[in-house]
Amino acid sequence: MKNFVEELKWRGMIHDITPGAEEELMKGPAAAYVGIDPTGDSLHIGHLVSIMILKHFQNCGHKPYALVGGATGMIGDPSMKSAERNLLDEETLGHNVECIKAQLGRFLDFDSDSPNAAKLVNNYDWMKDYTFINFARDIGKLITVNYMMSKDSVKKRLSRDSSEGMSFTEFSYQLLQGYDFLYLYEHEGVRLQLGGADQWGNITTGTELIRRTLGEQAFALTCPLITKSDGTKFGKTEKGNIWLDPKKTSPYEFYQFWLNVADDDAEKYIKIFTMLDRETIESAIEEHRQDPGRRSLQQLLAKEVTIMIHGETEYANALAASKMLFGNSTSEELRKLDEKTFLAVFNGVPTFDVPKSELPCNILDFLAVRTGVFPSKGEARKMTAGGGVSINKDKVTDINYEVSEKDIMDGKYILAQKGKKNYFIINVI
């Protein structure tokens, strides 16, 4: 067995850990869980740290549990939130749980016969028939209000929202999460809960509940909340979250996110978000420091994470799309792009609308009259004859070329290129 705690330490993935946890894990295979709120039908990269910890846990010979909060997801966790979240209905939660399970299968081995195969559990299964009276009697009497009020997640929320306060529903969240830990401790032998640093209060409520109920010790380990070197929130862009679902964030956009991280962030992220070994990572960091302009570390990071989430084929497609603007891409490669990726690659380039009824159209009229790619037909003629014009990545040198319906991609787009770097999208309407 590999030393799980040592593995996380050199990767910078430990924020807090309860005394005795490392020693407990070195005794032999153990079980631990991470809780995930199914508030959406896709995970995003903000979830990745906890999931990677669970992946390392399994890789070190231990048994990981992924708990989707079908019950707690109906309530909402106050930790780090500025407002109470909307409550979801049972049907929506069920759909979200199934989608999340499929995504977790990219990280964890759920299907093997190994004794440390991962297991997915849903706290709705043990909470749905637990009456409020029984919960208040069995669990509520064990944890004092003073203890609950001392948690940072509660204190910060109350200090921020003095006008609105916090509902009893959200205040009770830490008791429900604590009960999850107690339930898994008793029924699955789970001795350790893993999570983000903002979950420390909720997790230690669970260890306290286990101590008071069973007189036994349980353990907690949290990872740092990931930040960017410029102080902005990790995983957020102008368009919002970076999702693992390719329908929400295309593999190209996903790849680009990692490719464009700052140098300092790349050195941190490659330890946290890949399974590369220490020697490989340290060598890659040193190579990058010798020539930061090549961005070799970002390329390696983007490759590893994209393949882990989307697979080799989508990585290859994202790489090809990334070269579209600056490389010698072909018309065939351009036409392989799906619409979302095409629009993402050429986001921000000038666009023009041309009615389909005006096709076919002479190339010079198309570029200088029907659109504004060139200010005049004379300039269009000169650059076309000189080999500086392409339609859909195919060079056009014949000034009598007719742009027609055969040039339309995806039923609606034509890509014109002037020189090496000037692109224009023509929407055929």
Side-chain angles (χ1 to χ4, degrees):
M1 285 182 62
K2 291 172 66 178
N3 186 318
F4 171 66
V5 174
E6 280 299 318
E7 182 72 16
L8 295 192
K9 279 181 180 177
W10 76 260
R11 291 180 182 271
M13 296 175 75
I14 294 182
H15 186 268
D16 283 306
I17 183 170
T18 50
E22 183 172 7
E23 292 77 7
E24 179 72 16
L25 292 173
M26 291 308 294
K27 292 178 182 176
Y33 87 96
V34 164
I36 300 168
D37 258 344
T39 47
D41 60 2
S42 173
L43 301 170
H44 53 74
I45 60 174
H47 293 107
L48 270 186
V49 186
S50 295
I51 295 169
M52 290 302 293
I53 285 182
L54 217 53
K55 184 174 178 67
H56 283 296
F57 192 71
Q58 186 172 44
N59 203 43
C60 288
H62 303 291
K63 186 176 182 68
Y65 283 74
L67 182 148
V68 287
T72 41
M74 292 181 173
I75 291 173
D77 176 10
S79 301
M80 307 298 285
K81 305 297 188 300
S82 59
E84 188 156 330
R85 66 177 52 162
N86 293 327
L87 307 186
L88 303 179
D89 60 69
E90 191 172 333
E91 182 181 352
T92 302
L93 281 164
H95 167 74
N96 292 351
V97 167
E98 287 304 310
C99 294
I100 288 170
K101 181 180 180 182
Q103 291 182 339
L104 288 172
R106 282 206 163 271
F107 302 89
L108 304 172
D109 174 14
F110 286 97
D111 302 320
S112 74
D113 296 328
S114 169
N116 75 323
K119 187 171 180 179
L120 185 83
V121 292
N122 185 345
N123 61 13
Y124 184 72
D125 293 337
W126 57 81
M127 290 303 302
K128 61 184 176 183
D129 296 323
Y130 203 168
T131 68
F132 176 77
I133 291 174
N134 286 340
F135 185 81
R137 185 191 63 193
D138 299 341
I139 306 301
K141 68 178 182 181
L142 297 174
I143 302 292
T144 67
V145 170
N146 294 29
Y147 179 86
M148 295 172 72
M149 291 287 289
S150 70
K151 300 296 183 179
D152 284 343
S153 59
V154 174
K155 288 193 291 187
K156 288 178 181 177
R157 176 64 182 277
L158 289 175
S159 64
R160 269 201 307 262
D161 295 340
S162 56
S163 58
E164 295 182 16
M166 177 192 295
S167 70
F168 173 76
T169 303
E170 282 204 310
F171 182 60
S172 66
Y173 186 93
Q174 64 173 287
L175 275 187
L176 291 168
Q177 184 171 328
Y179 179 69
D180 287 342
F181 199 174
L182 174 62
Y183 183 91
L184 292 175
Y185 188 100
E186 290 188 289
H187 293 84
E188 300 286 348
V190 173
R191 299 290 184 266
L192 172 67
Q193 186 179 166
L194 309 165
D198 60 320
Q199 289 295 311
W200 182 257
N202 291 333
I203 295 174
T204 52
T205 294
T207 62
E208 182 65 10
L209 194 57
I210 290 166
R211 186 187 69 80
R212 295 187 183 189
T213 304
L214 306 174
E216 297 181 17
Q217 185 177 15
F219 304 95
L221 185 153
T222 59
C223 55
L225 296 179
I226 305 302
T227 57
K228 291 164 68 173
S229 56
D230 63 4
T232 57
K233 188 171 182 179
F234 167 76
K236 288 278 190 181
T237 67
E238 291 180 3
K239 296 180 180 179
N241 284 322
I242 302 296
W243 300 95
L244 306 195
D245 184 341
K247 297 188 190 71
K248 294 178 181 289
T249 299
S250 71
Y252 166 76
E253 292 169 307
F254 186 87
Y255 174 80
Q256 285 292 316
F257 172 82
W258 300 100
L259 192 64
N260 290 314
V261 300
D263 290 346
D264 289 346
D265 290 334
E267 292 192 11
K268 180 168 63 173
Y269 295 167
I270 200 159
K271 297 174 184 176
I272 295 171
F273 298 110
T274 77
M275 295 298 289
L276 296 173
D277 61 65
R278 188 170 189 170
E279 183 180 352
T280 301
I281 287 175
E282 289 177 348
S283 174
I285 290 174
E286 182 56 34
E287 178 187 343
H288 174 76
R289 288 176 177 174
Q290 296 299 320
D291 186 4
R294 285 182 55 233
R295 299 184 70 78
S296 59
L297 193 61
Q298 284 91 336
Q299 291 175 35
L300 179 60
L301 170 67
K303 175 185 177 181
E304 290 294 318
V305 184
T306 303
I307 289 175
M308 181 169 60
I309 304 300
H310 297 295
E312 292 270 4
T313 300
E314 290 295 352
Y315 162 69
N317 291 340
L319 192 61
S322 297
K323 294 178 179 177
M324 196 66 64
L325 286 173
F326 309 108
N328 297 317
S329 302
T330 65
S331 176
E332 182 182 2
E333 290 171 325
L334 177 67
R335 289 178 181 271
K336 283 181 180 178
L337 299 182
D338 60 84
E339 182 179 10
K340 187 173 183 181
T341 303
F342 171 77
L343 293 176
V345 170
F346 296 101
N347 179 42
V349 308
T351 62
F352 303 98
D353 293 337
V354 172
K356 186 182 284 189
S357 60
E358 295 187 1
L359 299 180
C361 179
N362 172 266
I363 184 72
L364 303 184
D365 287 326
F366 184 77
L367 296 176
V369 179
R370 305 297 182 211
T371 69
V373 173
F374 286 95
S376 69
K377 289 177 69 171
E379 195 171 326
R381 178 183 288 105
K382 182 179 180 182
M383 187 166 271
T384 300
V389 169
S390 295
I391 296 293
N392 299 334
K393 287 289 182 177
D394 284 332
K395 196 174 291 294
V396 177
T397 56
D398 181 4
I399 61 173
N400 295 311
Y401 181 83
E402 293 283 307
V403 179
S404 65
E405 289 191 24
K406 74 178 186 306
D407 295 306
I408 301 175
M409 300 183 297
D410 234 353
K412 63 182 86 169
Y413 303 113
I414 295 174
L415 181 72
Q417 184 176 353
K418 178 173 69 174
K420 288 186 176 182
K421 296 181 180 180
N422 297 308
Y423 290 93
F424 306 83
I425 292 176
I426 291 84
N427 298 309
V428 182
I429 55 177

